[in-house]
Amino acid sequence: MFEALTVLETQDKTVRAASPWQDDPYDVVVSLAQFAVPMLALVIALRLLVWRAPGGADRARQTVRAAGAMVTLVGLTVVSEWAAVIARTPASSSGTWSSVLTGGLVVNSVLTVAVAVLLVRGRRGHGPADPWRHDWLGDTVFLCRRIPVLRRWVGPDAAVWVRRRAMTVFVALSTLAGAALTSAQAIGERWTDPLLIAWFLVVAATSNLAFCVISNAVAGFIARPARTRPRRIAEVSAVAGCVALSVATAFRDALWPMFGTGSLTSVPALAALTLGAGLATSLVTAALLLACFPYASLGLRRRFGAAATHLRRPDKHR
């Protein structure tokens, strides 16, 4: 229901013109959820194919966490859309499509609350959360090993390689997805300014990267080995900067009067404002982590990080 309405209101020009939340800061949240929600739904659905494989307790907890992340994104989007309606943006004043979208928002809100209640109840039944011994990547390899075409290409060694280079994988996937989105946006809007296209690519890729890292920390898609303190600080700082970049993009018109005069219409000024906010946040986060946490007590290790090297190989799940 959520995805159907979101695709309709963002991809159909007539409907989008009547959408109360077509402008930023509301559109930034809608755009992120439009792609993140179906991706989470897809991986949850695919994991059901190996639901009865060994590691059921971990699988149940992780799936509930992934569903919780998905519903949280939907909830944030619903709140953002209600904020647009309450703010009475020009498009929300009247019109048939505006009324239809508002009615759909009411239905989505009720469904989101209902699903959230079910998830909270389901999580209570799982008992205490012990360190995870299985992850989604292991289930993916387990499934691929039973498909003749993929068996020779996917094995335990591939899973080990991905776990050791998880951040590299996240960056590559985020950049590819950002490039696809940027290409579609540039073609659809007929952009010709290289700086604008490059800026949009950076914004799209960094928002995807933040989503990948945060959702992985919540649901344990890839169990990562223990990392050094400098690397953990660098990753946390980078994610903080990515989030700040997205926030600055959403609220750029409100932030601009603090640094300049007039309206924000220049692409170089837009890039400097948003990228500067992301870079400054990364540097401040790194400085705070270095100052506040001694070397031996920095608590940034993932709950399954120490056990990542002990995960069972998928070829032994028989």
Side-chain angles (χ1 to χ4, degrees):
M1 178 72 178
F2 169 82
E3 189 63 20
L5 284 175
T6 303
V7 171
L8 175 64
E9 71 197 25
T10 56
Q11 302 305 314
D12 187 281
K13 293 184 178 180
T14 302
V15 180
R16 181 175 177 81
S19 173
W21 42 85
Q22 61 177 288
D23 299 321
D24 291 330
Y26 319 108
D27 187 60
V28 168
V29 182
V30 175
S31 298
L32 173 62
Q34 177 185 359
F35 297 100
V37 168
M39 290 302 299
L40 288 172
L42 177 62
V43 296
I44 291 172
L46 290 177
R47 207 175 200 198
L48 298 179
L49 298 176
V50 293
W51 192 254
R52 299 193 179 279
D58 288 346
R59 190 171 294 109
R61 291 201 302 270
Q62 291 168 352
T63 304
V64 168
R65 283 171 167 262
M70 181 178 64
V71 174
T72 299
L73 279 173
V74 173
L76 291 174
T77 307
V78 167
V79 170
S80 176
E81 291 171 348
W82 275 119
V85 173
I86 295 173
R88 304 298 295 177
T89 55
S92 65
S93 301
S94 61
T96 302
W97 276 117
S98 179
S99 301
V100 171
L101 293 177
T102 303
L105 176 59
V106 173
V107 176
N108 268 331
S109 301
V110 174
L111 293 177
T112 302
V113 172
V115 174
V117 171
L118 291 175
L119 284 174
V120 171
R121 291 180 178 178
R123 186 173 181 180
R124 289 176 180 174
H126 290 149
D130 298 323
W132 291 331
R133 301 285 297 178
H134 299 79
D135 63 357
W136 301 63
L137 178 62
D139 284 351
T140 301
V141 175
F142 175 77
L143 181 62
C144 291
R145 296 281 289 177
R146 277 143 184 80
I147 302 176
V149 178
L150 300 176
R151 185 177 301 167
R152 66 171 62 183
W153 302 103
V154 180
D157 293 339
V160 172
W161 187 92
V162 172
R163 290 190 183 106
R164 290 178 177 175
R165 299 167 177 82
M167 197 64 180
T168 302
V169 173
F170 291 151
V171 171
L173 293 177
S174 300
T175 303
L176 288 175
L181 178 60
T182 302
S183 300
Q185 186 75 8
I187 294 173
E189 300 294 334
R190 298 181 180 180
W191 288 349
T192 57
D193 188 343
L195 180 59
L196 178 60
I197 296 173
W199 170 80
F200 191 88
L201 174 60
V202 172
V203 173
T206 52
S207 63
N208 292 337
L209 179 60
F211 165 72
C212 289
V213 176
I214 294 174
S215 62
N216 187 68
V218 172
F221 296 111
I222 300 175
R224 305 180 62 186
R227 286 148 289 151
T228 63
R229 177 175 178 263
R231 183 171 179 177
R232 295 197 302 270
I233 291 178
E235 290 183 1
V236 172
S237 302
V239 172
C242 292
V243 173
L245 175 56
S246 296
V247 173
T249 301
F251 294 95
R252 58 187 180 275
D253 291 332
L255 293 174
W256 177 244
M258 300 172 57
F259 304 96
T261 58
S263 301
L264 182 58
T265 57
S266 169
V267 176
L270 172 64
L273 173 66
T274 54
L275 298 180
L279 178 60
T281 301
S282 293
L283 295 176
V284 170
T285 302
L288 290 175
L289 290 175
L290 288 171
C292 297
F293 295 96
Y295 181 84
S297 63
L298 184 62
L300 299 178
R301 178 183 296 185
R302 302 185 185 277
R303 58 185 297 233
F304 51 81
T309 56
H310 303 293
L311 292 174
R312 296 179 182 177
R313 290 196 172 194
D315 57 348
K316 295 183 180 180
H317 289 181
R318 298 182 180 179

